[in-house]
Structures are given as structure tokens and as C-alpha cells.
Amino acid sequence: MTTVFARPKLQVFGVSTAFVVRKIGLSDLRDALRLGWEDFKAIPTHAVVLCVIYPVLGLVLFRLVVGYSVLPLLFPLAAGFTLIGPFAALGLYELSRRRERGEEPAAWDAMQVLRAPSFGAMLELGILLLVLFGTWIAAADAIYIATFGHAPAATIPDFATRVLTTPEGWSLIIVGCGVGFLFAVVALCVSVVSFPLMLDRHATAIDAIRTSLRAVRENPFAMAVWGLIVAVLLAIGSLPAFVGLAVVLPVLGHATWHLYRKLVEPDPNPPEEQPRPPIGHRYAADFPASLFPWSRER
């Protein structure tokens, strides 16, 4: 049975900032993943994700061809995506929210998040996560330089040999993973429910972070398991040339919305929102506006 933790209401400038946090179990994590998979099947967004992933990968590969100076940061860059993933998944939360309301959203409806009343607050927290990501990359670069110096790896096999077969390389792996773990814990604590809460309840960034920290404090084991699930799924999705991320990222994004629903008590008096009317037939006269459906009033 779900346990509800009621907290005293805080007052900031006369506005109540309390959101009721629930205690969840492992079955709730499984259910969130199941619902995330159902959302992905109903609203396939893999093509959109691929359009984002592969240009970024292309830029990294181009830099690798030009020079190997970015090679030591390739793994930190890939691992660091977990730090900014909650912000990158904003559109997926919007799709899950609309489907929860009984609508039949299309993938492009994710752009409607740009019109959310709390988008400014979401952008503020997103910038904070980007700063955290940049700090992690700087820390990873400093760890590499402290271990191997400024001399770049001559080739990819040379870099792999240096990292995997030398004592310095093993030290780099241990220290790097330890520091990366600390960054991941910070990102999880401040963002596990923050972005869905801001989208759903129009909370401020500070209130959303406070609620996220309380959710982790009340559910340390479940949140640790959730973080492990995210890390494992991202690692699996990255193995076949990052193709698996086209499925893993949307499923995790949708699942995060449903995890938020289980962690935070719903608003007892939600504002009334009218479901989006069916699109109906489209005509040639609508072109080219039909290419940008989010630009029309719904």
C-alpha cells in the first residue's frame, strides 16, 4: 500500500510551496517502465530521437578524424548525457501528459512544451544541469591530465591500450567512475521529479528541486534502483552504435513522467483543460502551415 508523507506547508512570498510526496516500492518502478513502454508504442518518437543523436555523433566523429584530442572525453561525454537527460526529455513528458488526458497526440505535439506557463522555470533548471554537465566534463579532463599528462593518444588502439592495460589506466577508470557517480547522484536528486512537476503543476524551479530532494529522501532505495536502471539501460542502448538509444531514451522519458505520478500526490483541484480536438482532414490550402502543426491554435 502506498504511504503518503504530508509535509508542513512552507510559505515563500505568501505562496504555498508544499507538494505531498508518496513512498513507493520496486513494483512502482516496474509499472512506470511498463507505462513508459506503452506510451512509446502509442507515440513512436524514435525517428525524432535519431535526428538529434546522429548529428551530434557525426560532429564527434568528425572531430575524431581531424584530431584525437577529444578521444579521452568521448566516454565522459556519453556518460554525461544522464545529467542533462531530464531536461532533454521535456517533450516526452508533454506527450505522456496529453495521452494521460485521453488525447491522441502526435510526436510533434512535444513542441507544445515551449508554450507551457512554467517553461521559464524549466529553462532555469535546465541551465543548472548544463552547468553541472560542463563541470563534469572539466573534471573528467582534469582527471585524465593528472593521470596521463597532456600528451594526446596517437591512435584509438593506443588510447584503449593505455587505459585498459596499465595501472594508470585502471586508476583513471576507478577515479573517473567514482567522480561521475557523485555527479549522477546530484543530478538525480535535483531533477527526478522536477521537470514533470513544473510542467504539471507550474511549480517554480526552487519548489520543484525541494520536492525532488524530498522524494529521494523518502525513497532512498527505490531512487537508487531507479538510477541504476537508467544507467544500465543507457549503457545497453549505447552498445550497438548508439542505435538502441532511439528506443531507450523515449521509454525512459515517458517512464519518468509516470514515476512522477507515483511519487507526487496529484493536485486535488487541477485546472480544467480542454482536450485537443481531432485534427480531421487536411487540405492542400493548409500547406505549408501543415508542416508545423504546433504553430496552430488548438
Side-chain angles (χ1 to χ4, degrees):
M1 180 178 294
T2 302
T3 304
V4 176
F5 289 86
R7 291 285 181 243
K9 293 187 176 182
L10 303 175
Q11 296 291 327
V12 178
F13 302 110
V15 179
S16 173
T17 62
F19 297 97
V20 181
V21 173
R22 297 165 168 167
K23 188 170 180 61
I24 64 172
L26 297 183
S27 61
D28 295 298
L29 302 184
R30 290 193 298 267
D31 195 42
L33 288 171
R34 179 185 62 81
L35 293 172
W37 174 248
E38 293 295 329
D39 283 352
F40 175 71
K41 290 192 298 181
I43 323 166
T45 51
H46 53 278
V48 178
V49 175
L50 284 175
C51 289
V52 174
I53 291 175
Y54 279 95
V56 174
L57 290 179
L59 291 174
V60 173
L61 292 176
F62 174 77
R63 186 69 182 97
L64 286 175
V65 172
V66 173
Y68 288 94
S69 59
V70 77
L71 190 58
L73 297 179
L74 190 58
F75 176 76
L77 284 169
F81 184 78
T82 58
L83 304 180
I84 58 176
F87 177 64
L90 278 176
L92 300 172
Y93 308 148
E94 173 68 10
L95 294 178
S96 290
R97 186 181 76 91
R98 288 171 174 262
R99 187 165 182 261
E100 184 180 78
R101 290 167 50 195
E103 299 183 19
E104 296 182 3
W108 290 114
D109 286 329
M111 299 299 293
Q112 290 293 324
V113 74
L114 298 176
R115 301 169 60 182
S118 56
F119 182 73
M122 290 185 278
L123 188 60
E124 291 174 1
L125 184 53
I127 292 173
L128 176 63
L129 293 183
L130 286 173
V131 171
L132 188 66
F133 174 77
T135 305
W136 153 242
I137 296 301
D141 186 48
I143 293 171
Y144 180 84
I145 292 174
T147 305
F148 290 113
H150 292 275
T155 62
I156 294 178
D158 173 60
F159 174 75
T161 300
R162 181 185 298 183
V163 171
L164 298 177
T165 63
T166 66
E168 293 82 3
W170 284 107
S171 175
L172 174 70
I173 293 174
I174 294 172
V175 174
C177 288
V179 174
F181 172 77
L182 296 178
F183 276 90
V185 169
V186 172
L188 176 69
C189 290
V190 302
S191 66
V192 64
V193 299
S194 296
F195 290 104
L197 180 63
M198 287 185 284
L199 179 63
D200 182 45
R201 307 281 287 274
H202 310 321
T204 66
I206 294 298
D207 293 343
I209 291 174
R210 286 173 175 169
T211 305
S212 187
L213 291 173
R214 284 170 40 215
V216 174
R217 184 180 64 190
E218 302 296 351
N219 301 275
F221 179 70
M223 292 297 95
V225 174
W226 178 252
L228 180 62
I229 290 173
V230 171
V232 170
L233 289 180
L234 288 176
I236 294 174
S238 301
L239 290 179
F242 297 93
V243 175
L245 292 179
V247 175
V248 171
L249 292 179
V251 170
L252 285 176
H254 292 304
T256 299
W257 171 265
H258 296 289
L259 181 66
Y260 153 72
R261 281 299 193 205
K262 294 178 179 299
L263 280 168
V264 180
E265 189 77 17
D267 188 351
N269 299 302
E272 293 186 5
E273 292 187 63
Q274 295 298 326
R276 175 173 60 91
I279 294 175
H281 296 289
R282 294 180 178 177
Y283 302 95
D286 293 333
F287 185 84
S290 60
L291 295 177
F292 308 96
W294 58 85
S295 64
R296 300 193 303 271
E297 292 296 331
R298 298 183 183 276

